[in-house]
Amino acid sequence: MRAPDGQVLGLDGRAQPLSRYTRGQITLLGFIYTTCVDPDGCPLAYRVFDALKEAIAAIPALHGKVRFVTLSFDPARDSPDVMRHYAGSRAVDKGEGLRWYFLTTRSARELMPLVEGFGQDVRVTVDRSNGRARRELSHVLKVFLIDRAGDIREIYTSTFLHPQMVLNDIETLLIEERARQKRAPAGR
């Protein structure tokens, strides 16, 4: 399945096509929202991405071949400034072998075609348990492994989102690419 494209905002607030972040390198993309408190949701994705970043930094053969993308579900609250704060030092390239991009959109109208294109479910609910209405987002955690051509090759849910499993899949994609390059006729 092809990764969808649409406009996203980087930490600098400039609009870019999402394809800028999903083509040319192996990409691990996860949807989050910064106010999520479900330990098996967005915080889990953040922890797994952190562990993978460390693992990739320790494998020079993977440097420059993988990127991470964290894309907000909640453009109403997650402005580029909020995403910058959420990213902290992770958004700074320290020569550790990969870039981690934190993105949002201008509006739910720009976000929804991306959410639907990835097959990512999200619902807005209202929690009134404390007597006051509070808007919350509900979703199943999904993280997408996208190859250099922009095709989604794997979808991980919280049950299967383990750093070693994802790392193995990244390495498998690189092996496939090398095999394709060897088979390609000379001069191509």
Side-chain angles (χ1 to χ4, degrees):
M1 174 169 95
R2 192 81 163 155
D5 200 10
Q7 291 295 301
V8 294
L9 301 177
L11 297 181
D12 61 2
R14 290 190 344 208
Q16 299 280 337
L18 179 60
S19 59
R20 175 176 182 249
Y21 305 97
T22 59
R23 298 200 179 44
Q25 288 185 328
I26 294 171
T27 304
L28 194 63
L29 182 144
F31 283 95
I32 60 92
Y33 62 104
T34 61
T35 58
C36 180
V37 294
D38 177 2
D40 292 327
C42 306
L44 172 64
Y46 207 71
R47 288 190 309 273
V48 169
F49 277 43
D50 264 341
L52 279 164
K53 184 171 181 166
E54 257 183 56
I56 289 168
I59 305 171
L62 296 180
H63 291 190
K65 295 183 173 126
V66 181
R67 75 165 71 92
F68 294 166
V69 174
T70 297
L71 178 58
S72 174
F73 270 128
D74 194 2
R77 288 187 242 183
D78 292 342
S79 67
D81 285 339
V82 169
M83 292 301 287
R84 185 178 312 104
H85 179 72
Y86 182 77
S89 64
R90 288 165 182 85
V92 177
D93 185 4
K94 300 177 196 168
E96 297 170 316
L98 68 80
R99 290 291 311 262
W100 190 343
Y101 297 94
F102 292 80
L103 308 172
T104 189
T105 57
R106 282 188 210 123
S107 66
R109 197 173 100 224
E110 286 186 358
L111 172 69
M112 290 317 292
L114 297 173
V115 169
E116 291 166 2
F118 276 103
Q120 173 71 70
D121 301 319
V122 62
R123 284 189 331 270
V124 177
T125 59
V126 178
D127 177 11
R128 290 180 168 59
S129 62
N130 67 356
R132 291 192 315 239
R134 186 176 66 145
R135 180 179 163 271
E136 291 183 347
L137 297 174
S138 299
H139 67 97
V140 172
L141 175 67
K142 291 183 183 178
V143 172
F144 303 86
L145 182 63
I146 305 166
D147 67 18
R148 289 180 199 246
D151 293 325
I152 298 169
R153 299 294 296 273
E154 189 63 67
I155 302 171
Y156 307 96
T157 60
S158 57
T159 306
F160 298 103
L161 188 60
H162 302 288
Q164 190 57 53
M165 181 181 292
V166 177
L167 188 59
N168 291 344
D169 290 344
I170 288 169
E171 290 175 325
T172 298
L173 286 180
L174 289 170
I175 290 168
E176 285 179 11
E177 286 178 5
R178 283 193 297 272
R180 260 193 313 276
Q181 288 170 350
K182 284 181 182 177
R183 288 191 309 263
R188 257 187 152 177

